[in-house]
Amino acid sequence: MGEPVARETRHDHAVVGTGGGPLAQSVERRVGAKTAKALGKLGIRTVGDLLRHYPRRYADRGRLSELRDLRLGEHVTVIAEVARSDIRPMRNRRGAILTVQITDGTEVVTLTFFGKHRGSLEFHARKLRPGLTGMFTGDVSNYRGSRQLLHPDYETFEDLDAEFAAVDRAERPIPIYPAGQSIPTWKIRTSVAAVLDTLDADDVPEPLPEHYRREHGLPDAFTALHQIHAPRTDGEWKQAMKRFRHEEAFVLQAALAQRRAAALAEPAVARPARSGGIREAFDARLPFDLTAGQRDVGAVLEEELGEPVPMMRLLQGEVGSGKTVVALRAMLQVVDAGGQAALLAPTEVLAQQHLRTVMALMGPLAEAGMLGGAAEGTRVVLLTGSMGVSARRKALAAAASGEAGIVIGTHALLSEVVQIPDLGLVVVDEQHRFGVEQRDALRAKADVTPHLLVMTATPIPRTVAMTSFGDLETSTLRELPRGRAGVTTTTVVPADKLRWVERTWERLRQEIDDGGRAYVVCPRITSTGTVVSGEDPDGEDVAELAVEMVGGAEQVVADVQTPKQDRPTMSAVEDVLPMLRALPALQGVAVGQMHGRLSPEEKDVAMADFSSGRTPVIVSTTVIEVGVDVPDATMMVILDADRFGLSQLHQLRGRVGRGTRPAICLAVTTAAPGSTTFERLSAFAGTNDGFELAETDLRLRREGDILGASQSGRSSSLRLLRVLTDAAIIEAARTAARDLVARDPGLTGEAGLARMVADSLDEEAAAYLERT
Ligand code: ADP
Ligand code: MG
């Protein structure tokens, strides 16, 4: 890494891309206090902020027209000479009329102005003296068979230079800025112009290496700022936009490449596979064959774990694609090599489930030192926040002594008292709940940097992965294990179609009678309290923390965006439970409940009862969202489905259809057909392909939200870059940035880039501090 950045010197808002110098100066000095205050409401504080406040679009003044070409109804701008001007009283009522004839030497057009009296028109008459040339803009109308411009805007020219300048300006696109109530777009335009005028090329840092600019035909930063704010042609602003998209991608990718390079530069312990060890024994007792995808990814992990360089890999795959088995095999390879592995889950429920799954898959291999334990076995311990003191102490001791080869836990694992001295591999499940900082906290537990495997069931489009998880390499499990139905039919149920709703419960009854299990998901626990998605006591903290992290917060951001109080009734477990129990259609069917207010023991019992069929229907919050595995579950009813983000809905749906029987999912909503919300749910019903949904989600959602940025109007460092459509730019920037960082890790040869990377990290840090 380059020079350490002096963060403590920047208490104020961090600024993207100022590079210090004149761009870091407050706008107030340039535009005055009043305008500065108005700009401040848009988050613009420095000259740099103002210059990065790009136009939203460009208006066309209309090309200059020739007088002979004017057509009725057109909005036109013409240049012509004043031939005659005349003020006279109106004939039939009070008031006066000024008519001005303008000509280009051949054609004549009339300008007409009305006034209350003669005096109010003299101002115009004085300016529109015969013989002067001017530029006139207005709508063409008809006046007694000839063409006129009524009350046109105009300016007259004192000399030819003024005329040429005006011609030039008339041809230019007019930038239209994102404005606010505090300030109109034209005021922003004049502020930007004032600032641009005083700027020298040296004042603007250039983060793009020259060879990169040449290769992609991009203007330099200084030129591009002029082109985007004061373009002479459409081509200019388009070129400038392209340049700034590249710039945003490049700065981000350089930051990620540096982060990755720094991580890779730390030595890791090679944990090569060993024959005759626990992993082989594990493979031998697996009740199924690995899918081709599991084998391929397994081979990649095996090789990377065998290197003295830290693995940094993201494993994505739909719910049920068998990621856990893949991760477990990697953990066992590390145990074989004498190390320990930690599996970090986002909630208690999931940590417990992982423990059960891992114990079941490992059997005697997880019971080293115990009666019946296998000789080549190890121990698996659980560490969560709600454990009793003595259980916790035992688990801590087993982890610290190295006796436990595998430690499974929630974010309680991050606590400083937890020691895992031989930690060789960290597996983070469901990454969207964790931020980079938490990942780092866990990795810091080991004496030597451990290998890292991040797993996510939220399919991430490639370019989003490159942006949010740009420091990780990606592997994907695309197929589901055979024998799995994997098909869930989804239907959107409008809540006001009472017959549909009735039918929903009848259908649920049928499913139970056929031996299935059903989830009924509600957005909240009680009808009064606040909504907390994923509100497991552990999960709550983690979800909140995750929102604070830049990147990887996609899922959680969607949760948070769900309005919390506005809309009135929302289904609550507390209300739905008695409702279902009283329902004639469900007579004799036991209905259980599951949510974050239950104690860990109650949760265990609830899940066990559901799984065994004692309570075949469970009313639940999103606690069941991730990872929970009950193969017999064949139906899910999601109440107030519009309250959930697309990827969250997809996660929820992944709880069913995990057995051999096809499943159904009913998304009940009060959203009006035709609304964006309904469209979102229709998209959800329309496909089981998580990748397709993720892309739809991107399309329907504001871009800034994807990267977890720009909450509370804070400026994000990505303004023009679109992760969906700018894939080529992101790829190019990533390749080049990685090359550059490989050659020059401190970016010493690219001062402008180094400065902007530092600024963007500053902003990230400032944003983080602000929220803690
Ligand atoms: P994920 O973590 O990706 O959601 P899991 O690893 O939990 O998926 O696997 C889901 C279920 O499928 C588990 O019950 C697991 O034992 C089973 N499974 C995993 N791999 C296979 C396979 N190759 N063949 C059959 N079943 C599998
Ligand atoms: Mg899983």
Side-chain angles (χ1 to χ4, degrees):
M1 288 282 216
E3 290 290 307
V5 183
R7 298 200 165 155
E8 59 279 9
T9 59
R10 307 194 45 186
H11 297 296
D12 204 38
H13 255 66
V15 179
V16 179
T18 59
L23 298 198
Q25 285 168 10
S26 160
V27 274
E28 190 168 334
R29 279 203 250 160
R30 311 295 184 91
V31 300
K34 190 156 161 272
T35 306
K37 189 156 173 257
L39 287 171
K41 295 206 173 121
L42 295 175
I44 298 168
R45 282 170 185 78
T46 64
V47 169
D49 289 344
L50 181 58
L51 291 175
R52 301 287 161 167
H53 190 71
Y54 301 126
R56 188 157 38 89
R57 62 187 179 85
Y58 296 83
D60 205 341
R61 212 185 296 256
R63 300 275 128 169
L64 278 182
S65 302
E66 299 295 328
L67 290 192
R68 83 180 111 82
D69 293 336
L70 301 192
R71 264 185 283 280
L72 284 180
E74 267 181 353
H75 185 75
V76 298
T77 300
V78 295
I79 288 181
E81 192 181 315
V82 178
R84 227 153 52 85
S85 116
D86 175 38
I87 302 183
R88 56 191 155 75
M90 295 224 275
R91 235 171 270 149
N92 301 326
R93 46 191 177 114
R94 278 158 48 91
I97 182 167
L98 164 68
T99 53
V100 178
Q101 317 248 275
I102 57 169
T103 179
D104 57 6
T106 324
E107 303 277 322
V108 177
V109 167
T110 304
L111 314 179
T112 308
F113 299 84
F114 296 105
K116 284 210 183 76
H117 44 78
R118 196 179 179 87
S120 64
L121 291 172
E122 260 158 12
F123 167 78
H124 292 301
R126 270 199 305 276
K127 290 190 80 175
L128 296 169
R129 292 194 309 276
L132 278 184
T133 302
M135 182 161 71
F136 309 90
T137 303
D139 296 322
V140 182
S141 58
N142 181 23
Y143 176 67
R144 296 189 178 168
S146 67
R147 292 157 307 166
Q148 71 163 354
L149 299 178
L150 192 62
H151 287 269
D153 286 333
Y154 64 87
E155 65 180 292
T156 50
F157 311 129
E158 297 300 330
D159 54 33
L160 205 55
D161 279 351
E163 179 174 341
F164 285 163
V167 170
D168 240 16
R169 246 180 299 124
E171 304 260 280
R172 293 179 187 184
I174 309 166
I176 308 290
Y177 289 88
Q181 292 198 321
S182 60
I183 188 163
T185 179
W186 66 265
K187 185 83 202 171
I188 299 175
R189 193 153 61 229
T190 51
S191 303
V192 171
V195 163
L196 268 181
D197 268 355
T198 63
L199 216 57
D200 290 328
D202 296 345
D203 297 337
V204 184
E206 176 54 81
L208 290 179
E210 206 185 321
H211 68 86
Y212 186 85
R213 272 194 285 124
R214 227 179 306 116
E215 186 183 336
H216 296 277
L218 306 173
D220 63 71
F222 178 72
T223 306
L225 278 179
H226 279 86
Q227 289 181 334
I228 205 163
H229 291 296
R232 280 171 300 197
T233 62
D234 285 346
E236 282 194 354
W237 65 256
K238 284 179 186 160
Q239 187 162 1
M241 286 238 174
K242 179 172 156 200
R243 183 228 136 80
F244 287 120
R245 291 203 171 105
H246 273 279
E247 177 179 308
E248 288 173 4
F250 202 92
V251 170
L252 179 66
Q253 292 300 333
L256 292 167
Q258 274 194 323
R259 185 183 282 171
R260 181 176 166 80
L264 292 179
E266 300 273 322
V269 179
R271 313 278 184 176
R274 180 163 69 81
S275 61
I278 187 168
R279 198 185 74 180
E280 270 189 15
F282 175 82
D283 283 349
R285 50 168 280 126
L286 259 186
F288 44 73
D289 292 331
L290 296 176
T291 63
Q294 285 173 318
R295 278 199 303 275
D296 290 350
V297 175
V300 171
L301 299 186
E302 176 175 331
E303 186 182 329
E304 289 186 350
L305 290 172
E307 298 289 328
V309 174
M311 174 172 86
M312 294 176 73
R313 193 159 279 279
L314 174 73
L315 172 57
Q316 43 175 337
E318 296 253 3
V319 166
S321 58
K323 297 183 296 295
T324 310
V325 172
V326 170
L328 184 53
R329 292 183 71 248
M331 292 194 269
L332 295 176
Q333 175 175 335
V334 169
V335 173
D336 270 338
Q340 293 172 285
L343 171 55
L344 189 55
T347 67
E348 283 225 31
V349 173
L350 272 177
Q352 262 148 17
Q353 173 158 332
H354 274 311
L355 180 73
R356 275 196 298 273
T357 309
V358 167
M359 295 297 256
L361 283 167
M362 289 179 66
L365 294 173
E367 294 164 7
M370 281 183 247
L371 208 58
E376 66 277 52
T378 184
R379 278 190 58 200
V380 180
V381 297
L382 179 72
L383 256 170
T384 66
S386 69
M387 280 169 81
V389 179
S390 80
R392 182 176 165 76
R393 195 174 298 142
K394 272 189 210 153
L396 282 172
S401 69
E403 203 184 322
I406 295 178
V407 183
I408 298 175
T410 55
H411 71 299
L413 281 184
L414 303 180
S415 147
E416 280 180 19
V417 297
V418 178
Q419 286 175 8
I420 312 174
D422 269 324
L423 186 59
L425 170 63
V426 173
V427 179
V428 180
D429 193 12
E430 313 298 353
Q431 154 74 16
H432 58 275
R433 303 265 183 174
F434 286 97
V436 168
E437 284 81 356
Q438 285 160 313
R439 235 154 76 194
D440 290 348
L442 192 54
R443 285 164 57 198
K445 299 218 165 291
D447 304 336
V448 182
T449 307
H451 299 283
L452 172 70
L453 178 65
V454 172
M455 301 197 290
T456 173
T458 310
I460 305 166
R462 181 171 158 67
T463 49
V464 177
M466 286 193 319
T467 315
S468 303
F469 302 99
D471 55 341
L472 306 180
E473 295 296 322
T474 307
S475 298
T476 306
L477 287 177
R478 287 193 180 272
E479 58 182 330
L480 295 181
R482 249 185 297 280
R484 204 71 70 60
V487 200
T488 301
T489 311
T490 305
T491 307
V492 182
V493 178
D496 57 352
K497 295 204 174 174
L498 295 181
R499 185 63 197 119
W500 285 40
V501 175
E502 255 173 57
R503 190 64 201 117
T504 298
W505 304 125
E506 287 164 15
R507 186 70 181 71
L508 191 141
R509 173 60 188 249
Q510 204 178 318
E511 208 61 31
I512 304 306
D513 287 347
D514 290 349
R517 314 255 187 290
Y519 294 101
V520 178
V521 182
C522 306
R524 55 199 302 173
I525 303 173
T526 66
S527 41
T528 48
T530 51
V531 188
V532 191
S533 299
E535 29 39 306
D536 175 273
D538 273 337
E540 186 164 335
D541 293 2
V542 175
E544 274 161 22
L545 276 171
V547 178
E548 291 158 8
M549 307 302 168
V550 176
E554 179 190 8
Q555 177 71 53
V556 181
V557 169
D559 294 354
V560 167
Q561 279 176 334
T562 312
K564 295 200 174 175
Q565 289 99 9
D566 317 348
R567 279 176 286 173
T569 51
M570 225 200 308
S571 306
V573 174
E574 183 186 74
D575 303 329
V576 172
L577 189 66
M579 188 275 284
L580 289 184
R581 283 177 175 163
L583 219 56
L586 295 184
Q587 276 305 299
V589 175
V591 183
Q593 62 172 322
M594 175 73 180
H595 55 73
R597 302 244 172 104
L598 301 180
S599 69
E601 297 75 40
E602 288 172 314
K603 282 183 205 162
D604 271 354
V605 170
M607 282 320 289
D609 283 352
F610 179 61
S611 180
S612 73
R614 201 189 319 249
T615 53
V617 180
I618 195 162
V619 181
S620 172
T621 57
T622 52
V623 176
I624 50 120
E625 179 189 331
V626 267
V628 172
D629 190 12
V630 178
D632 287 329
T634 49
M635 180 163 177
M636 174 173 285
V637 180
I638 306 175
L639 299 175
D640 290 311
D642 45 286
R643 294 303 180 121
F644 303 102
L646 258 188
S647 58
Q648 197 179 13
L649 287 169
H650 186 62
Q651 293 259 3
L652 280 169
R653 176 169 59 184
R655 303 299 103 225
V656 295
R658 293 166 77 90
T660 44
R661 296 190 342 180
I664 52 175
C665 173
L666 298 174
V668 182
T669 179
T670 51
S675 62
T676 309
T677 308
F678 201 87
E679 189 187 334
R680 210 158 45 83
L681 293 177
S682 305
F684 169 60
T687 180
N688 271 310
D689 182 336
F691 282 90
E692 196 180 319
L693 275 180
E695 302 228 328
T696 306
D697 207 15
L698 277 186
R699 234 169 264 122
L700 294 177
R701 201 135 31 101
R702 283 212 345 273
E703 193 88 14
D705 302 333
I706 294 157
L707 303 174
S710 85
Q711 312 235 8
S712 73
R714 131 176 304 282
S715 51
S716 141
S717 54
L718 297 191
R719 290 149 203 250
L720 297 173
L721 193 68
R722 298 285 171 261
V723 282
L724 201 60
T725 47
D726 291 332
I729 291 179
I730 295 172
E731 302 244 13
R734 171 155 150 135
T735 308
R738 282 189 167 193
D739 279 358
L740 176 63
V741 169
R743 270 183 283 116
D744 178 8
L747 301 176
T748 46
E750 296 289 342
L753 179 62
R755 184 63 232 180
M756 282 185 63
V757 166
D759 281 350
S760 73
L761 294 179
D762 259 11
E763 170 159 277
E764 199 178 302
Y768 177 69
L769 289 176
E770 213 167 74
R771 287 173 303 208
T772 39

